[in-house]
Amino acid sequence: MFFADSYQHFFRPLTGKYREQVVECLRLLYERLYTAKADYGESLGREQILEIFAEALTRAPQLDSGGEPGDTSESEKRFRGPREQAVWVLNSLVEYGWLEKLVDSASLTVSFPFSRRGRLFTQPLVELNSTRVRTRHRNTRNTLNSLEAFASRGEVYDLIDAWEYSERIVADFTDMVAELEERKRELVREVEAQILVQQATDEFFAFMESRFQPDLAIRLSADSVEKHRDSIGRVIAQIRRKDNDKKADWERRLRQQLPELMTEGQSILWLMLDTIEDRMRRACEVKLPALRQALQGFTKRAEIIIRQLSYLQSNTGGAFTDLCHSLGQADNKSDLLEQLGADMAAFQLRLFDPKQTQLWQRSRRQPVNTFVEDDVPMSDDNHRGILLQQLLDQAFNFNSSDLRQYLSETLGSGERVSSRDLPLRDARDLLAMSHALEAAAVSQDGSEPFMEVTFTGEMASNDYFQQFDEFTLELKKRD
């Protein structure tokens, strides 16, 4: 159970009118204990923690009472100063399980570190408003690197790391889409509260510089999941082709490390590899288009708002406004109005009757060829030309099956032959020899054995080729 022992009312400090101040105290204490500001050679005592809390209380505002109806325990509390309130916050966090009270039996000093649950729940509060750039876009490359390390060294911990990194890829996309939607709502809300075009513009460009360029731009270009999806798929296919003894050993070690994933008749190794492939597919086909759509909606909304605010706050009202302003300041208004009336006397305004107006859509008809042609017999010359063209196409038509048959006949007596010793009995053999370098690609069809082509570095010639590179074709068994 989660709410047990001292954690029965774990979230009580985060309710009431002091909830924002308590959150600020947790953030500041977490920064002093676990970030770059921490001094790991010394533990914080009671007085140091009270000083940190007093500083945090001056930063955070006191909210209106928002606790449960009838709960007047916090609303009636009054503090004479920040120190007294800091003592109350410290006692509350210790009482409800956020902090622990540890006493050193040797020096009799008291320290107040975070409990495990308190530290895990405080970390999201710190990262929520953190301005530090986090390289969350590295999870795709971390997945690829861990899979490559597992394929080369065979350490199951690398596969577990790749499995965890792949889970974070989808989670990062979801968080980024939610952040863009929240940014869009905040932009609209701030513009409604105070129509300041400069502030809206500054916030938009600040987001593009501090958030888009270091993270989003890399995620959409350099570290795109579409870029590394094929590489991850090749590494997974390489792992699947390993020896059965190695895969059995990996399966046994994975069952020891992850007993909660054990299912009768199912392989944990295959489950993890299939899960990584499925997560990459979902990230490419679902999450990445959703991220691009959310980013496009955010930029379009910001562009519309900035244009509207710029138009509303523009000092120039156009030529019509200038004309009205000059007419209002003129001394001979009557003469000008009479002149305008005389000029516009011949002007007539006519409007169309909506009932008499109808839009027609002209349908484009497809042309029909009604011309009847006579059946003209084919001449002998045309018939002969078609037959010759078919024979020429068949003469130079050479596919992989022909090359495979030629090599099987050539290597029938041995498992290795040089390109200078390939037999040339007819024109088909000459075509096969010219395509001999494709032997390695033709043999990669999953069957055994396969062909290995090696360049010897020497030149050769025969009756049909003045000069060509010499290669050795060797028949090998697949591992």
Side-chain angles (χ1 to χ4, degrees):
M1 293 179 59
F2 181 84
F3 296 100
D5 298 333
S6 60
Y7 303 102
Q8 292 184 2
H9 305 283
F10 183 73
F11 296 103
R12 180 68 63 81
L14 303 184
T15 59
K17 63 180 180 181
Y18 302 113
R19 54 188 181 274
E20 185 66 29
Q21 294 178 327
V22 174
V23 169
E24 187 65 26
C25 293
L26 290 172
R27 288 174 181 168
L28 196 57
L29 180 60
Y30 187 92
E31 291 178 356
R32 291 290 301 273
L33 290 177
Y34 301 108
T35 60
K37 301 178 182 179
D39 186 5
Y40 297 102
E42 166 183 23
S43 59
L44 298 179
R46 177 183 175 86
E47 293 299 325
Q48 293 174 316
I49 293 179
L50 292 178
E51 292 178 0
I52 294 173
F53 284 0
E55 179 183 353
L57 292 173
T58 57
R59 294 182 181 180
Q62 176 179 328
L63 305 178
D64 296 334
S65 179
E68 298 179 356
D71 186 8
T72 59
S73 59
E74 291 189 9
S75 61
E76 294 180 356
K77 287 183 178 294
R78 298 293 183 268
F79 304 104
R80 290 175 293 182
R83 181 176 177 80
E84 184 177 352
Q85 187 176 359
V87 173
W88 173 79
V89 173
L90 177 60
N91 295 335
S92 300
L93 294 177
V94 174
E95 178 182 358
Y96 297 114
W98 289 82
L99 302 179
E100 296 178 350
K101 183 178 181 181
L102 301 180
V103 181
D104 190 358
S105 58
S107 59
L108 299 180
T109 57
V110 181
S111 59
F112 297 90
F114 273 98
S115 64
R116 181 176 177 273
R117 299 185 185 184
R119 179 178 60 83
L120 293 177
F121 278 93
T122 306
Q123 184 178 1
L125 300 177
V126 176
E127 294 179 352
L128 186 62
N129 293 335
S130 177
T131 57
R132 179 174 58 89
V133 176
R134 292 167 292 172
T135 57
R136 296 187 294 182
H137 54 267
R138 289 283 305 179
N139 288 327
T140 307
R141 277 177 281 184
N142 290 339
T143 302
L144 177 59
N145 295 336
S146 299
L147 284 175
E148 291 177 346
F150 173 70
S152 60
R153 296 182 299 184
E155 186 62 46
V156 295
Y157 292 103
D158 294 328
L159 178 60
I160 297 175
D161 291 340
W163 189 51
E164 294 178 353
Y165 285 132
S166 64
E167 182 180 3
R168 298 175 190 173
I169 294 174
V170 181
D172 289 345
F173 275 113
T174 305
D175 294 341
M176 189 60 63
V177 172
E179 181 181 354
L180 287 173
E181 295 295 333
E182 183 179 358
R183 291 272 185 176
K184 184 167 61 175
R185 290 191 297 266
E186 288 181 357
L187 184 62
V188 176
R189 185 167 54 251
E190 291 175 358
V191 169
E192 291 177 352
Q194 45 183 355
I195 304 179
L196 297 177
V197 61
Q198 186 63 34
Q199 181 179 354
T201 306
D202 294 342
E203 290 180 357
F204 172 73
F205 285 106
F207 170 78
M208 298 299 289
E209 293 177 359
S210 62
R211 194 73 180 92
F212 175 78
Q213 291 182 357
D215 192 3
L216 268 177
I218 297 177
R219 186 185 300 276
L220 296 175
S221 57
D223 197 74
S224 176
V225 290
E226 295 176 345
K227 176 182 178 181
H228 296 89
R229 181 182 180 181
D230 295 338
S231 301
I232 292 176
R234 285 195 297 268
V235 177
I236 291 177
Q238 181 182 357
I239 295 173
R240 294 181 188 272
R241 292 195 301 265
K242 293 292 184 179
D243 296 338
N244 294 331
D245 297 336
K246 290 183 179 180
K247 289 186 286 189
D249 181 56
W250 293 338
E251 181 68 24
R252 183 171 54 256
R253 293 164 62 184
L254 286 173
R255 289 177 180 269
Q256 295 175 356
Q257 297 295 331
L258 303 172
E260 65 275 6
L261 297 180
M262 290 180 57
T263 305
E264 187 66 24
Q266 186 177 11
S267 171
I268 298 181
L269 176 62
W270 248 241
L271 173 64
M272 299 179 74
L273 295 178
D274 292 340
T275 304
I276 294 175
E277 287 182 333
D278 183 67
R279 288 169 179 171
M280 294 300 300
R281 180 182 62 82
R282 293 179 181 272
C284 291
E285 299 177 1
V286 180
K287 294 299 181 180
L288 187 59
L291 176 61
R292 290 171 177 168
Q293 185 177 2
L295 180 61
Q296 182 180 5
F298 172 74
T299 53
K300 185 178 296 185
R301 179 63 60 87
E303 180 184 2
I304 293 173
I305 290 176
I306 293 174
R307 285 185 178 182
Q308 289 179 348
L309 295 180
S310 301
Y311 177 76
L312 291 176
Q313 294 190 357
S314 177
N315 294 327
T316 59
F320 183 75
T321 305
D322 296 340
L323 181 60
C324 293
H325 184 68
S326 60
L327 182 60
Q329 293 181 351
D331 297 334
N332 52 347
K333 298 183 182 62
S334 301
D335 299 338
L336 291 176
L337 290 175
E338 290 179 358
Q339 183 179 356
L340 289 174
D343 295 338
M344 298 178 65
F347 179 76
Q348 295 181 359
L349 179 62
R350 295 181 180 180
L351 300 177
F352 288 98
D353 187 2
K355 295 182 180 180
Q356 302 297 329
T357 304
Q358 185 175 3
L359 297 178
W360 293 92
Q361 294 182 357
R362 179 179 298 176
S363 60
R364 185 177 180 181
R365 297 181 179 179
Q366 296 293 336
V368 179
N369 186 8
T370 59
F371 181 76
V372 178
E373 296 181 356
D374 297 332
D375 187 10
V376 180
M378 184 180 298
S379 62
D380 295 337
D381 295 337
N382 294 335
H383 188 68
R384 189 182 302 106
I386 293 175
L387 291 178
L388 288 176
Q389 185 64 35
Q390 291 179 354
L391 292 175
L392 289 175
D393 294 339
Q394 294 176 1
F396 292 94
N397 185 16
F398 193 80
N399 50 31
S400 59
S401 61
D402 298 334
L403 179 59
R404 189 181 296 108
Q405 182 179 1
Y406 173 76
L407 292 176
S408 62
E409 294 174 358
T410 304
L411 298 175
S413 59
E415 296 184 354
R416 185 173 182 179
V417 68
S418 175
S419 60
R420 70 167 65 224
D421 299 328
L422 292 175
L424 300 176
R425 297 179 295 268
D426 51 16
R428 304 295 295 176
D429 292 348
L430 183 62
L431 287 176
M433 178 186 175
S434 62
H435 293 80
L437 297 184
E438 301 175 7
V442 170
S443 62
Q444 301 297 328
D445 56 351
S447 61
E448 295 185 1
F450 71 100
M451 190 73 61
E452 182 178 357
V453 180
T454 306
F455 177 54
T456 61
E458 299 179 0
M459 307 296 293
S461 62
N462 54 24
D463 297 335
Y464 304 96
F465 294 94
Q466 183 178 2
Q467 187 177 8
F468 61 90
D469 297 332
E470 183 181 4
F471 293 84
T472 58
L473 291 84
E474 187 176 3
L475 194 65
K476 288 190 174 182
K477 295 184 178 180
R478 195 177 302 273
D479 294 335

